[in-house]
Amino acid sequence: MHLAFPENFVLSKNTEKGQEFFKTRWVVPFISNGRWGRGPHSNAETCDSCHTMSAPEKTRDKLRDTRILKLGVRDLQLERKTRPDTRYGNELSRFGVIGQLLPEGDFSLTWINETIGEVALQRPVPNITDLNFGDFEKDTVFSVRQGNPLEGIGVLSEIPAETIIQFEKEQPNLGLDGRINWVASNKSEKLEIGRFGYKASVPTLLSQVSLAFHDELGVTSTDHPNDPCAGTDSVCSELIKISSPEINDERLNQVTAYLKNLTVKSNRTQFSQDGYDVFRSIRCGDCHRTEVLVTWDTDATEKPEYIDPFTDLLIHDMGEGLSDNLPEWKARGRDWRTSSLWGLGSKVNSRTYFLHDGRAKTIEEAIAWHGGEALPSAKAYFSLEPKEKDSLLVFLKSL
Ligand code: HEC
Ligand code: HEC
């Protein structure tokens, strides 16, 4: 049996500073205990608040705190297919500045019952409350997204572009229609392979990190120089007196280096070969790819190795049940990037829920939501013998 996750996984060094900035509490100026630069509008105080596994008391509704409401104005003429809402930007912010600036708004979730096959499921619908700065634009659409633990994220940067292009070429042979989401970062016009975010609309880890600082914490950088603010100009400019950018490139690179190195603590003692075989036989592995050749650049010695990223980094039509109606570049409402399955076991243990909006309480519920291109594979799962199902689930929980 080959190793699913590389043993000597070192993609970057000197990650302490980055870890510090990832865990740092950012505060609005001029509160003393923390790092200045958050807001005026934001959704959290630290990156960690939405990307940690260590919150065993999470319940489905408390989990809302790791969820965001992504916004986009549909504009199919644009290559990006959406632009930010004029008032509220890319995301509805639930924090303002106490005593000085109201939050942009808040949202709660209503759970709609739905049955797929024999499985009783629930789908969240956002209800926006306390919208404090006027209406959204007419064509603004909303997408609930959940922050996930980021263990293993570095691997997604390392899968060679040619490999992903090859995956795309193989789609007709697999009876699938996965596509590369070609996207441009904020900095350049050049189209690159999108890898990050639930619709693979961000090309590099660094561009994802600077975007997160901006959208989640309201921390500006050279990439995103303007603070998100739905308040009136006078209130906001008063609150944005801190010099811009609020985080410099060196620190963004440090956070990126830290994230690149987050290894997966898989429970290899339970790795079930039987389960792995079932996984491949019912073609979960056609999208959640295994045995992909990557080359680590460790200490100047290039070391090719086969790993299981459990994703092809392509976007797939997952059916109407999962659609959010929010296009991002080439990804339409129903299209989602194949999730890597690393960390599933820890997610089960920490009661973190699954899929882009955290609608699935169990792995089985997540599989039941697989429609569109993934429907045959999901159906094959529900036709398995109980023993095969068990060994597949043991395998998935060991990741
Ligand atoms: C309020 C919750 C929240 C906070 C705070 C937050 N994130 Fe995220 N993060 C998300 C969500 C939701 C997504 C998925 C976004 C999407 O699909 O558009 C995400 C996506 C990501 C991804 C890509 C994950 C993937 O699988 O492709 C990275 C990397 C990331 N965030 C890093 C950060 C960093 C660095 C910070 C701190 C600056 C941060 N996040 C703060 C919620 C959060
Ligand atoms: C056509 C491609 C495709 C196939 C085949 C497929 N998946 Fe997926 N899978 C996806 C995509 C895309 C997502 C992300 C959907 C979302 O977040 O809404 C996903 C998400 C998941 C998740 C949730 C991960 C998380 O952390 O939230 C699990 C678990 C999963 N798949 C397991 C499986 C299993 C088991 C099979 C085989 C029965 C399978 N998948 C077959 C594309 C596929």
Side-chain angles (χ1 to χ4, degrees):
M1 185 184 68
H2 73 282
L3 231 105
F5 203 79
E7 198 153 32
N8 304 312
F9 182 65
V10 184
L11 289 175
S12 45
K13 288 182 176 162
N14 306 326
T15 57
E16 290 95 40
K17 271 275 163 230
Q19 176 168 26
E20 183 191 323
F21 283 108
F22 191 77
K23 297 190 188 259
T24 282
R25 178 169 171 250
W26 289 79
V27 295
V28 284
F30 297 91
I31 297 171
S32 55
N33 58 337
R35 198 166 279 279
W36 285 350
R38 182 163 64 79
H41 287 304
S42 59
N43 258 323
E45 292 187 319
T46 72
C47 300
D48 221 18
S49 2
C50 299
H51 290 295
T52 176
M53 206 95 78
S54 54
E57 79 286 2
K58 272 180 197 159
T59 66
R60 193 167 57 181
D61 287 314
K62 268 204 189 151
L63 199 90
R64 188 172 65 102
D65 298 333
T66 72
R67 288 205 182 99
I68 56 138
L69 193 63
K70 188 160 183 167
L71 311 172
V73 184
R74 278 172 73 94
D75 186 343
L76 299 183
Q77 313 288 37
L78 299 174
E79 207 174 355
R80 293 178 174 263
K81 304 293 186 292
T82 47
R83 53 180 173 76
D85 182 87
T86 327
R87 286 206 174 94
Y88 295 98
N90 295 327
E91 212 169 295
L92 185 70
S93 298
R94 299 200 308 260
F95 292 173
V97 180
I98 291 168
Q100 298 184 63
L101 179 71
L102 291 169
E104 287 183 340
D106 202 353
F107 69 99
S108 60
L109 299 174
T110 303
W111 294 91
I112 311 287
N113 292 326
E114 215 162 293
T115 307
I116 299 183
E118 313 247 291
V119 192
L121 300 165
Q122 289 161 316
R123 180 168 53 86
V125 176
N127 315 302
I128 295 151
T129 53
D130 309 314
L131 200 58
N132 286 318
F133 300 94
D135 283 339
F136 293 107
E137 284 187 63
K138 191 166 73 1
D139 294 326
T140 299
V141 275
F142 309 97
S143 180
V144 179
R145 307 264 171 110
Q146 172 189 242
N148 251 324
L150 297 173
E151 277 78 358
I153 193 89
V155 170
L156 304 189
S157 319
E158 299 305 308
I159 300 177
E162 312 83 74
T163 306
I164 305 170
I165 291 167
Q166 181 58 31
F167 288 160
E168 191 186 45
K169 286 199 187 120
E170 290 166 9
Q171 295 300 297
N173 300 339
L174 297 170
L176 297 173
D177 186 29
R179 282 147 297 125
I180 292 173
N181 199 2
W182 290 100
V183 303
S185 71
N186 214 39
K187 267 196 179 136
S188 80
E189 309 249 290
K190 197 180 113 229
L191 291 183
E192 295 174 78
I193 295 178
R195 294 170 188 251
F196 299 99
Y198 285 107
K199 298 205 183 200
S201 56
V202 181
T204 64
L205 198 50
L206 180 63
S207 49
Q208 172 68 52
V209 167
S210 62
L211 181 69
F213 270 103
H214 178 264
D215 284 357
E216 315 296 349
L217 306 185
V219 172
T220 56
S221 55
T222 47
D223 226 4
H224 299 277
N226 300 314
D227 267 312
C229 194
T232 57
D233 279 353
S234 59
V235 176
C236 286
S237 50
E238 201 48 37
L239 290 166
I240 307 174
K241 275 190 180 145
I242 194 98
S243 62
S244 182
E246 291 156 341
I247 186 164
N248 64 28
D249 288 353
E250 190 192 352
R251 286 171 182 169
L252 288 175
N253 282 317
Q254 288 165 339
V255 174
T256 306
Y258 164 67
L259 292 180
K260 260 197 162 179
N261 252 18
L262 284 177
T263 37
V264 173
K265 295 174 206 72
S266 77
N267 188 354
R268 278 198 214 97
T269 49
Q270 281 179 22
F271 191 103
S272 141
Q273 184 66 40
D274 290 350
Y276 188 71
D277 294 343
V278 176
F279 183 80
R280 307 240 293 195
S281 73
I282 60 171
R283 311 187 66 171
C284 308
D286 286 3
C287 297
H288 299 283
R289 291 275 187 148
T290 56
E291 296 181 25
V292 174
L293 189 65
V294 291
T295 303
W296 309 120
D297 198 354
T298 49
D299 290 331
T301 43
E302 300 225 319
K303 191 163 153 252
E305 218 175 333
Y306 281 96
I307 60 153
D308 293 340
F310 293 109
T311 174
D312 53 8
L313 287 178
L314 301 178
I315 44 169
H316 293 274
D317 179 340
M318 294 295 284
E320 204 45 43
L322 285 173
S323 174
D324 66 352
N325 209 23
L326 180 70
E328 294 177 27
W329 297 90
K330 293 204 168 0
R332 300 155 302 187
R334 301 154 62 122
D335 295 333
W336 301 95
R337 176 199 70 185
T338 309
S339 313
S340 169
L341 301 179
W342 281 118
L344 272 189
S346 321
K347 279 175 115 180
V348 172
N349 293 337
S350 64
R351 297 187 38 223
T352 301
Y353 298 140
F354 307 100
L355 299 175
H356 62 272
D357 51 12
R359 65 174 67 187
K361 299 189 288 302
T362 60
I363 291 177
E364 191 155 276
E365 284 188 15
I367 299 171
W369 280 112
H370 280 54
E373 292 173 44
L375 190 59
S377 187
K379 280 196 167 149
Y381 169 83
F382 286 99
S383 316
L384 290 173
E385 298 296 327
K387 202 168 143 272
E388 294 169 310
K389 260 190 202 171
D390 284 350
S391 59
L392 176 62
L393 291 173
V394 168
F395 162 69
L396 291 172
K397 286 178 194 167
S398 74
L399 296 178

